[in-house]
Structure formats: structure tokens, C-alpha cells
Amino acid sequence: ITAGSVQTRVNTLGTGDVWENGDELYLCRISGDNEWAEYSLTATVADEVTTWTPDKKLYWDGKDAHTLVASYPNMNLLFQNFQISSEQNTLSGLKEADCMNAMWKGTPTTEPINLTLKHRLSMVTVTYTLAEEFEPTVEITPEVYCYTQYVFFNVHTLERQDVAWEEGYDIWVKAYKHEEVDADGNVVAKKFTAIVSPDAYAAGDEFIRVTIGDQVLTAKMQEDITFAEGTHYTFDLKVGKDKVTLTPTTTDTDFPG
């Protein structure tokens, strides 16, 4: 059983279509008798070809229909729940927040089985500009508001399940800062990116928080918007001495990769 060429990961912010040595997928095999077997698949990349090696032998448990589920990242947890990390301020932290999964159902076969992973969360990228009053070297700490820290999926269909949370499950996600450079290596834009749950935001909801020294500035949504799974949303943010202004720029771009 092969996991196919599932090259759909947030590996680089530009294309996101390359796996790396040591990447891991979680794989669950559920038999017709509802017997579960869990595996870890590890990536080896050579000459732009990715090979997935399981930690133990995969096998069919009987002749009845089976279900296979693959998910990334491998959290050593059952595939139906995923905790969104609030620590995405490094590239590795951003990658590990990119929840993806895929399901296959069928009878035992000796033919290859392709599992095409699907992004289940939403990506936000903000291009920010600092007012002239700030020193050129000033550092900011950006955060993006996420309505829930956990997402759950139906064990039979992988459809996302709505969960009625008590207070305290929302999070401010620390975003990953990066720069856009031109062909000469000059910085043409400063940005930050975070992955959040696909939720509805109303105009006036707090969405972006920027810390500069001891000062905390918060930007609110300018219009109602509902984030969709696997969709990349971009915004412009102007940061002044005592005010931040947020403007949406695109809302219907596919996830990188």
C-alpha cells in the first residue's frame, strides 16, 4: 500500500509542494470488524521523489471493507481531533499547524491506493507597513485571533464537526514573520502568516493584535467574513503610533501547494 505522491504541505510560503526528509504522516487502518491499527509513515526524499516508509507492516484484517485515514502532522493522536497551536512564530511551528487529512474506503486490494490530503484549516497572511514615526529597526510581535483551539472530524466521513465549547478555548496565534524580496535581494514587503480554524468573523471582531515594546494595538474585522477550509486570506495592515488599520485584499486564493 502506498500513500501516493501527497505533496501538499506548507513547506515554503511560495509553493508549499515539497516534503522534507523526516516528515511524518499518521495512518489508521480500520477493518470491517472495527479493529483499528495505527501507523507512522516517514518521508525520504531523493531526486525530488518522496517515499513513505511505515513503522511496521501494513496488512488487511480480513476480506470485508476497510477504511484508511492519513493525516498530517503525526501528533500520535487519533485522527478525529486536532489541536491548533498558538506557537506558529517559527517556520516549523507554522508547518506543524497545517492540519491535513484524507480517507479511503474499499475492499482489500493489491493495487496502489492514492490518498490525496486536503487542507482543513485556513491560512492568513498580512502585509504590514509601519508609520514613519517608528524606527526602521523596530520589532513587532503579531498575533491572529482564532475562535477555537481544537477541531474535530467525523470518524466515518472526515467532515468537520461543530463543537459547543465553554469559554476559554479561543486562542491568539503567534504568527510567523517573513519578508518578500525582489531579484536583487531587497525587501519589498514585510509580512506575517498564521493558520487558524475556518470560522465566521463579524465586522468589529478583534482579529489582529500587534505588540510593539509595551504597547499593544488591536485591529478589528472591517466586514463580515466566513473563512473556508483550505483557503488563503490576505490583508494589509497599517501600523501607526496609536492605531492600526486592517484592509482585506484577497479572500478566495487556494492554500499554497
Side-chain angles (χ1 to χ4, degrees), residues 186-252:
N186 300 312
V187 176
V188 295
K190 293 186 176 182
K191 303 182 179 185
F192 57 86
T193 295
I195 293 174
V196 298
S197 59
D199 290 308
Y201 295 80
D205 286 352
E206 293 186 343
F207 182 53
I208 301 295
R209 189 166 68 184
V210 176
T211 301
I212 307 175
D214 296 330
Q215 188 178 20
V216 179
L217 301 172
T218 303
K220 298 180 179 180
M221 277 291 190
Q222 299 300 304
E223 56 189 32
D224 296 350
I225 186 172
T226 299
F227 286 173
E229 292 183 1
T231 304
H232 186 198
Y233 299 85
T234 62
F235 297 83
D236 284 337
L237 183 71
K238 297 188 182 303
V239 182
K241 277 291 187 179
D242 55 4
K243 180 182 179 181
V244 287
T245 304
L246 183 70
T247 305
T249 53
T250 63
T251 58
D252 57 357

Side-chain angles (χ1 to χ4, degrees), residues 63-83:
K63 297 181 179 180
D64 294 332
H66 284 60
T67 298
L68 298 177
V69 180
S71 62
Y72 174 89
N74 183 5
M75 304 282 291
N76 295 317
L77 296 171
L78 296 180
F79 63 81
Q80 64 262 48
N81 61 69
F82 179 75
Q83 178 178 349

Side-chain angles (χ1 to χ4, degrees), residues 127-144:
T127 300
Y128 66 94
T129 305
L130 299 176
E132 294 180 355
E133 293 92 337
F134 290 105
E135 294 292 332
T137 57
V138 68
E139 290 291 332
I140 71 168
T141 300
E143 297 171 281
V144 181

